[in-house]
Amino acid sequence: MKIGELAESTGLSIRALHHYDEMGLLKPSCRSESGHRYYSKNDIIRLHKIISLKQLSLPLEKIGKIIGDSTIEIQEALDRQLEVLEKEIEQRLVIARRLRVSSDYIRLMENAELPDLVKVIKDLVTNESYFTKEQWDYFEKRGKELGDEKIKYALMEIPKIIEEIQVQKDSGSSPSDQKVIQLIQKWGELLEYFIGNDPKIIEQAKKMHKENPDLKERHGITPELMEFIEEAKRAMNSLKDN
């Protein structure tokens, strides 16, 4: 094939083919007396390899070394590069999920004070290491199903409930008091907005809070208040059993 025919057939520019020739990457098998380039079937097979490797964002210099080394199989080189790219994609997806969640929180907390935003960031960093990709996908899907309004309502109500429980404790209320139990029930319902009833997610959330006790305190839940809450939960479960 003449260079013009090859360019038109493949969608490559003549300039690109000239460049490959100058680099020694793809030299035509023969030239006419007038200097016209002619490409053989083997040349075109080589061009296919070049374009395949180029699609993986490999630099032309590296492509030349891979193709020029008879000890390297093209398929092996492609597989190795694909493995690297797949790992990079996975890492970028993790970053994308983290940014998406951060963006959602910031959008919902536009009027939040700086310390609150710092808490959110620290929570996000901690949470990322405890939940799997599938679980984060579940959170994202659940968030879309609930919508911004419900999520915003839950984010605003949970701190209020914690404050109300603290008030009940400070005023001398018993953990089995009906008012306290109602608050605990409402708190559980709001938490379910985010984690649902998946036992694995619940287990990971418990593990996260056990290994990071400061998470609770950052949200106003002191060890003393947590003990009060646990007593209220036992009282609530006792009432259910009866």
Side-chain angles (χ1 to χ4, degrees):
M1 294 182 74
K2 291 182 179 180
I3 189 169
E5 294 172 333
L6 181 60
E8 185 177 353
S9 299
T10 60
L12 292 168
S13 67
I14 293 177
R15 183 178 178 182
L17 293 172
H18 280 167
H19 183 54
Y20 294 165
D21 187 356
E22 291 167 3
M23 289 184 65
L25 194 59
L26 179 68
K27 286 190 170 295
S29 293
C30 63
R31 292 175 183 264
S32 67
E33 292 181 0
S34 57
H36 292 298
R37 296 171 173 84
Y38 284 88
Y39 294 86
S40 68
K41 181 179 179 180
N42 286 336
D43 295 334
I44 296 170
I45 290 173
R46 183 181 175 89
L47 176 60
H48 178 262
K49 293 177 181 179
I50 292 168
I51 299 303
S52 296
L53 292 170
K54 194 169 181 289
Q55 290 297 311
L56 297 177
S57 300
L58 289 173
L60 293 177
E61 292 78 7
K62 188 170 183 179
I63 291 173
K65 290 179 181 178
I66 292 173
I67 294 179
D69 190 342
S70 59
T71 63
I72 298 178
E73 290 291 337
I74 297 297
Q75 188 61 53
E76 290 179 7
L78 287 170
D79 288 342
R80 285 200 301 271
Q81 188 65 14
L82 281 169
E83 186 178 344
V84 171
L85 286 173
E86 284 170 357
K87 287 181 181 178
E88 289 180 1
I89 289 169
E90 180 59 31
Q91 291 171 352
R92 289 179 181 275
L93 285 173
V94 169
I95 294 170
R97 285 196 301 275
R98 184 179 295 176
L99 289 173
R100 189 179 297 112
V101 174
S102 299
S103 175
D104 290 343
Y105 268 103
I106 290 172
R107 186 174 66 254
L108 293 172
M109 299 179 68
E110 288 178 352
N111 298 321
E113 298 295 329
L114 180 60
D116 294 325
L117 291 175
V118 172
K119 287 179 185 178
V120 168
I121 292 169
K122 189 169 183 180
D123 287 350
L124 288 170
V125 173
T126 302
N127 293 347
E128 184 69 46
S129 63
Y130 280 89
F131 298 105
T132 65
K133 173 186 177 297
E134 290 73 20
Q135 289 169 336
W136 277 106
D137 289 342
Y138 168 80
F139 291 144
E140 183 180 340
K141 180 182 177 183
R142 191 166 179 81
K144 289 178 180 177
E145 290 173 351
L146 291 170
D148 284 355
E149 288 305 314
K150 286 186 178 180
I151 294 176
K152 185 174 183 178
Y153 170 76
L155 288 172
M156 298 302 176
E157 284 298 307
I158 288 174
K160 292 179 185 177
I161 291 173
I162 293 171
E163 288 179 13
E164 289 183 37
I165 296 173
Q166 183 69 60
V167 169
Q168 290 295 318
K169 178 182 179 300
D170 293 343
S171 64
S173 297
S174 167
S176 59
D177 186 273
Q178 188 61 30
K179 174 66 175 176
V180 175
I181 290 177
Q182 287 176 351
L183 288 169
I184 297 296
Q185 287 175 327
K186 187 176 181 182
W187 185 22
E189 290 170 1
L190 291 173
L191 289 176
E192 193 175 317
Y193 267 29
F194 301 101
I195 64 175
N197 289 312
D198 188 316
K200 291 184 179 179
I201 291 179
I202 293 172
E203 189 62 32
Q204 282 301 102
K206 287 180 179 178
K207 180 182 178 183
M208 179 180 68
H209 282 92
K210 183 178 180 181
E211 295 179 357
N212 300 274
D214 61 315
L215 277 176
K216 293 188 179 76
E217 294 193 30
R218 288 210 302 274
H219 295 284
I221 307 176
T222 63
E224 294 76 20
L225 182 60
M226 194 66 231
E227 185 178 346
F228 182 81
I229 291 170
E230 291 298 331
E231 288 181 27
K233 286 181 180 179
R234 287 192 288 271
M236 183 174 65
N237 291 332
S238 178
L239 287 172
K240 287 180 181 178
D241 293 338
N242 294 331

